[in-house]
Amino acid sequence: MRYAMAVDTLKCVGCSDCVVACQTENDVPIGHCRDWIVEKTTGTYPELQLEIRSERCNHCANAPCVRTCPTEASHYAEGGIVLVEESECIGCKACITSCPYDARFIHPEGYVDKCTFCIHRVEKGQNPACVSVCPTHAMIFGDLDDLNSDISRAMATRKWKSLIPEAGTDPKVFYLI
Amino acid sequence: MIEEIITSGRMNPEIDPVLHVWGWEIPFYLFLGGISAGILIFSAYFTLRNRQDELPVAVKWMPLAVPFLIGIGLIALLMDLSHVLYFWQLFTNIRWESPMSWGAWTLGIIMPLSIAWIATWVEDIFPKWDWKFDEVKTVINWLKNYRRYMAQILILLSVILGMYTGILLSAFNARPFWNTSILGPLFLTSGLSASAALISFFSKSEVEKRLFTRIDIILIGIELFMIIHLFMGHLAGTQVHIQAAQMFLGGAFTVPFWVFVVGLGLLLPVVLEILELKHKFIPAIVPVVLIVAGNLMLRFIVVNAGQASRWLY
């Protein structure tokens, strides 16, 4: 089991529904977010290109946050999902500084918080909240080890990229381009 | 032109727009840890060389400060933890991949060991000292037989203490400025240099003063070499490393680093120390204050610059 997510940048319109769904589903404290939208414009006017991405924790297979955590609070759960165990987190923030995606933040209660791929939903066979609400069906969640899963099919048939693969983190959130 | 807008408001406190999760507590602790390591290394080394009577300040007096320095450093570290009531989790886990984990264990061992080390010297420096209880006297007399072993362990642990702070930062590949293996040796050298300066300042014996001034001059030379190397490495690195170095070569950290750390913290004191050795009159307090302040500044700048440097995507 290797859970992964793909975001279709050709379908994403940047509506932020995924962000709101996450905040509602996971009771994310006000002023914080576990996922966010990036609009990237490249080129010189009038030749401009726009890419819209819904971003979150990349659930890296070689996660620097798990490596630098002194207490094993940051760990790999089932299917490679990277989680933080609140009762083991001391709030040293080493994981925050080790994340090249800046995907983590300090929860007002003191421990470090981030995207969980909605593991509580995934365990029940449901999609993460962000995926389930996407109005343009731009997001796909699934198991890379299952070659017939939607995500495996998308990765096999579409061009894709991941974010800063050169950081050596082996991210598991992909962008279809 | 590349323009990147994060909409939907990712403005996570202490993360955006520039990472600043580590405030004054971390660099302040790195500074105290470095000086403590330096003091213990000199004390243990010159004990092994049987020069304890010739160099009393380095071997016997300066270690008295160590438990206080480490203690203050630990308080700063605890103040930094945002989930502080769970700090004991550090000592229910050993994680070899995490420098913070073995740093915590090293601190946990070096603190009692440095107290035991001082205890074996207390009667030498305070002849009227009375331990009150016979049991304590017996234990300390027993410890004195093992001073050489203690010194060897202390050197090993102090080198780890002096280096791990740098290694801890260099293990974060997400922050290109820190991601250089020279930070460990650089922090160790600067910690040794500050403690050598303090020893020569507090010493009353001419032999000890001159020896530690000479040691300090050599250490500052090594430090300057390492700083040049740090930038050579970054400039020969990838785009993100080049950008990290450019924060110091025209960017926001240029003046604080080259003027205060390198100019006032290393070059000026080394000139003053050379003049001192040539028997020119230099108020002893001047070089030591400059070196210690430069040391503190180096750690603040490194911690802040690392957090300001990032990968671009």
Side-chain angles (χ1 to χ4, degrees), chain B residues 29 32-33 36-37 40 65-77 106-108 110-111 114 161:
Chain B
Y29 158 72
L32 294 176
S36 307
L40 289 177
V66 168
F68 298 99
L69 296 177
I70 296 183
I72 297 168
L74 283 176
I75 293 170
L77 276 187
T106 305
L107 273 176
I110 218 167
M111 185 78 171
S114 67
L161 175 65

Side-chain angles (χ1 to χ4, degrees), chain B residues 229-264:
Chain B
H229 239 63
L230 178 124
F231 287 102
M232 278 173 65
H234 276 326
L235 288 173
T238 62
Q239 184 63 26
V240 288
H241 290 101
I242 295 170
Q243 284 182 5
Q246 277 167 351
M247 296 191 298
F248 289 80
L249 305 168
F253 293 95
T254 312
V255 172
F257 185 75
W258 296 105
V259 174
F260 291 97
V261 176
V262 176
L264 294 176

Side-chain angles (χ1 to χ4, degrees), chain B residues 48-63:
Chain B
L48 288 177
R49 298 290 301 270
N50 284 325
R51 295 177 73 177
Q52 53 268 43
D53 297 321
E54 194 187 343
L55 308 170
V57 172
V59 174
K60 303 173 187 174
W61 284 91
M62 287 304 284

Side-chain angles (χ1 to χ4, degrees), chain A residues 32-33 36-37 39 41 43 55 67-69 71-72 87 89-93 97-99 102 106 110 167, chain B residues 1 3 5-8 10 12-14 22 80-83 86 89 93 95 98 100 173-175 311 313:
Chain A
H32 298 71
C33 56
W36 59 92
I37 303 289
E39 288 179 14
T41 312
E55 292 188 6
R67 196 166 60 234
T68 52
C69 176
T71 67
E72 292 177 0
S87 62
C89 176
I90 61 172
C92 71
K93 295 163 278 210
T97 42
S98 20
C99 177
D102 286 342
I106 303 156
Chain B
M1 183 199 85
E3 191 187 35
I5 308 169
I6 298 181
T7 53
S8 86
R10 193 189 82 180
N12 286 337
E14 300 188 321
W22 284 340
D80 174 68
L81 297 181
S82 59
H83 218 207
Y86 293 80
Q89 287 279 356
N93 291 286
R95 295 210 60 261
S98 163
M100 202 179 276
N173 105 351
R175 313 295 153 196
W311 287 81
Y313 61 93

Side-chain angles (χ1 to χ4, degrees), chain B residues 215-237:
Chain B
I215 291 176
D216 200 29
I217 291 170
I218 295 167
L219 287 169
I220 290 179
I222 297 173
E223 225 180 310
L224 286 166
F225 169 77
M226 285 180 178
I227 287 172
I228 293 167
H229 239 63
L230 178 124
F231 287 102
M232 278 173 65
H234 276 326
L235 288 173

